């Protein structure tokens, strides 16, 4: 905008000037019309009033609310993306991926099987394995009894194939020129059968490996589990009569088996220790967490180990039969 100078002539013929600052060119015709609408001073006064009104209106036009009936202002331009500078609108469609001309080589997976067919295993020259470490049952009991007949097993059969049995089988295999695997395979079993006889019932299931101690006087009445630490035997007695006996072992000096008179207060056939997380089959609890139960470790290692205070039995068949006979409330006597 430029300042416009307007020349006017009053009624006396004098010529004057009026300066209009900051007006637009469109105000010129209105000002001219206002200057000619009256005569003398009234004409000049009216022109100045119109000029002032137009100036105020131009200055405040952006601050007033839009009047009803006036046309809406044009919508604002779309915002531009800060990343691209283009209006935020429909996202562009990405170009289709160009197919690879060749697939990359698959990464090698450690331990993955070879694609080629593996060679067939060489057959064991001694035949199929019949019994090995961890096996248990009557056939293992027979194996142990036959090995004992010829001096390769120095304890009563337990029916559990552990480290002692494996060592006995290796000893037998070495004497007969067989591969010392410690497993009872077909050839080892046939050799053993040819050198031994069928075991008797007593050989298969002897009562104990040690002489049964004289019962404590507290064991002579009623139904009693009579347990001797000296003889390391347990006798199941009813009214002073020994019904059955079996080998047992006890806790170590740090976890001793308590001595005294107790009673069976809970039986658990498939019990697992919540402290040591080991199996305690046929458990008959008599003092806190101490119980009479079968021990696979005792069957495997014998007296080389110890319990955590329980009375371990290594003959699974005997303790299973005992479990079925004993009732809650039956007496338990543990003595030295």
């Amino acid at each position: 905008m430029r300042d416009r100078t307007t020349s006017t002539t009053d009624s006396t013929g004098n010529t004057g000037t009026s300066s209009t600052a900051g007006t637009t060119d469109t105000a010129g015709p209105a000002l001219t019309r206002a200057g000619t609408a009256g005569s003398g001073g009234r004409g000049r006064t009216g022109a100045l009033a119109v000029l002032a009104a137009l100036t105020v209106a131009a200055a405040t036009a952006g601050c007033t609310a839009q009047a009803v009936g006036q046309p809406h202002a044009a919508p604002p331009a779309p915002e531009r993306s800060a990343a691209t500078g283009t209006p935020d609108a429909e996202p562009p469609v990405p170009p289709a991926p160009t197919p690879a001309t060749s697939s990359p080589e698959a990464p090698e997976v450690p331990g993955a099987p070879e694609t080629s067919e593996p060679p067939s295993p060489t057959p064991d020259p001694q035949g199929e394995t019949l019994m090995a470490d961890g096996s248990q049952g009557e056939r293992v009991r027979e194996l142990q009894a036959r090995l004992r007949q010829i001096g390769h097993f120095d304890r009563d059969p337990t029916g559990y194939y552990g480290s002692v049995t494996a060592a006995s089988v290796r000893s037998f295999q070495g004497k007969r020129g067989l591969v010392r695997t410690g497993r009872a395979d077909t050839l080892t079993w046939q050799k053993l059968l040819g050198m031994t006889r069928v075991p008797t019932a007593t050989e298969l299931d002897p009562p104990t490996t040690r002489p049964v101690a004289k019962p404590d006087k507290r064991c002579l009445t009623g139904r009693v589990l009579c347990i001797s630490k000296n003889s390391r035997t347990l006798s199941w007695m009813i009214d002073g009569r020994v019904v059955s006996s079996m080998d047992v072992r006890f806790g170590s000096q740090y976890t001793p088996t308590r001595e005294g008179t107790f009673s069976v207060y809970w039986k658990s056939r498939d019990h697992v220790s919540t402290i040591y997380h080991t199996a305690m089959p046929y458990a008959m609890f008599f003092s806190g967490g101490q119980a009479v139960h079968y021990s696979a470790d005792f069957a495997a290692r014998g007296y080389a180990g110890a319990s955590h205070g329980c009375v371990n039995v290594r003959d699974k068949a005997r303790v299973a039969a005992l479990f079925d006979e004993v009732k809650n409330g039956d007496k338990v006597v543990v003595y030295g």
Side-chain angles (χ1 to χ4, degrees), residues 44 126 186 213 215 226 231 265 308 312 328:
R44 287 193 300 274
Q126 296 187 177
T186 306
C226 194
S231 66
Y265 69 88
H308 290 96
N312 290 165
N328 287 341

Side-chain angles (χ1 to χ4, degrees), residues 35-56:
T36 58
S39 62
R42 290 194 304 274
R44 287 193 300 274
T45 303
L48 292 173
V50 171
L51 178 61
L54 290 173
T55 302
V56 172

Side-chain angles (χ1 to χ4, degrees), residues 261-297:
T261 302
F262 313 93
S263 61
V264 176
Y265 69 88
W266 181 41
K267 295 169 60 180
S268 179
R269 183 179 296 272
D270 300 306
H271 193 77
V272 176
S273 171
T274 58
I275 300 176
Y276 304 105
H277 308 290
T278 54
M280 298 170 55
Y282 307 108
M284 293 166 278
F285 289 88
F286 61 87
S287 177
Q290 295 187 355
V292 175
H293 67 84
Y294 170 72
S295 169
D297 182 74

Side-chain angles (χ1 to χ4, degrees), residues 216-227 235-237 260-264 286 326-334:
D216 185 272
K217 62 180 182 181
R218 293 169 291 179
C219 302
L220 300 178
T221 57
R223 298 163 57 90
V224 188
L225 290 172
C226 194
I227 303 169
S235 294
W236 168 234
M237 302 182 65
T261 302
F262 313 93
S263 61
V264 176
F286 61 87
V326 172
K327 301 176 182 177
N328 287 341
D330 286 345
K331 188 162 54 174
V332 178
V333 176
V334 182

Side-chain angles (χ1 to χ4, degrees), residues 122-138:
T122 304
D124 190 335
Q126 296 187 177
E128 178 187 358
T129 297
L130 304 177
M131 291 166 279
D133 194 17
S135 300
Q136 51 187 317
E138 292 305 311

Side-chain angles (χ1 to χ4, degrees), residues 42 47 63 78 84 102 108 110 180 230 235 245-246 250 256 264 328:
R42 290 194 304 274
C63 299
T84 63
S102 62
E108 182 178 352
R180 294 166 55 90
N230 286 335
S235 294
S245 297
M246 57 205 73
F250 307 96
V264 176
N328 287 341

Side-chain angles (χ1 to χ4, degrees), residues 8-79:
T8 61
T9 307
D10 62 14
S11 61
T12 61
N14 296 325
T15 301
T17 60
S18 64
S19 177
T20 304
T23 62
T24 61
D25 291 341
T26 56
L31 180 59
T32 304
R33 288 193 299 272
T36 58
S39 62
R42 290 194 304 274
R44 287 193 300 274
T45 303
L48 292 173
V50 171
L51 178 61
L54 290 173
T55 302
V56 172
T60 61
C63 299
T64 56
Q66 183 175 344
V68 177
Q70 292 184 350
H72 292 283
E79 295 183 4

Side-chain angles (χ1 to χ4, degrees), residues 73-151:
E79 295 183 4
R80 294 182 177 271
S81 168
T84 63
T86 58
D88 292 335
E90 192 74 14
V93 179
T98 304
T101 57
S102 62
S103 58
E105 183 179 355
E108 182 178 352
V109 179
E114 296 285 344
T115 55
S116 59
E117 184 178 353
S120 56
T122 304
D124 190 335
Q126 296 187 177
E128 178 187 358
T129 297
L130 304 177
M131 291 166 279
D133 194 17
S135 300
Q136 51 187 317
E138 292 305 311
R139 198 175 192 184
V140 175
R141 188 181 292 274
E142 181 181 352
L143 169 71
Q144 294 167 335
R146 287 179 178 271
L147 287 170
R148 188 175 186 181
Q149 288 178 7
I150 54 177

